[in-house]
Amino acid sequence: MTTPKKQTQVRLQPDVLDAGKQAAAARGLDFNRYVERLIIEDTTGARAAGMAAAQRLIAEHGAFLDDLEQQLADAPYEQLKPGAAA
């Protein structure tokens, strides 16, 4: 059995609202679900855990990722097409 959802009103600057709607759409969510998810992630520690994991990844593999990014930036477009021989 789920608890019925409560409705609230939030006042946002127009540019903040637009940015939120665009971010929600990019994730395939409606705006209400996007805001709900942000609050849940922030209050449960999920966001902090994800950020900590990202920091560990960068600390451990940052040099490799930087090198890969540079190689991709330097590679001609023709070499990046799917199925192209390496």
Side-chain angles (χ1 to χ4, degrees):
M1 181 174 178
T2 62
T3 305
K5 292 188 176 193
K6 301 287 184 175
Q7 185 171 344
T8 189
Q9 184 177 11
V10 179
R11 296 181 191 277
L12 302 171
Q13 294 292 330
D15 58 333
V16 174
L17 178 59
D18 290 341
K21 287 181 176 183
Q22 289 176 16
R27 289 163 180 76
L29 300 171
D30 66 58
F31 182 72
N32 289 328
R33 181 67 180 129
Y34 174 70
V35 171
E36 182 180 47
R37 190 178 275 185
L38 286 177
I39 293 169
I40 290 168
E41 289 173 359
D42 193 47
T43 59
T44 62
R47 183 177 184 278
M51 294 300 288
Q55 283 300 111
R56 284 192 305 274
L57 179 75
I58 291 169
E60 294 175 18
H61 304 288
F64 170 78
L65 296 171
D66 288 342
D67 184 51
L68 181 61
E69 181 180 34
Q70 188 61 50
Q71 288 177 31
L72 292 173
D74 292 342
Y77 176 75
E78 290 296 317
Q79 292 177 358
L80 299 177
K81 287 186 178 177

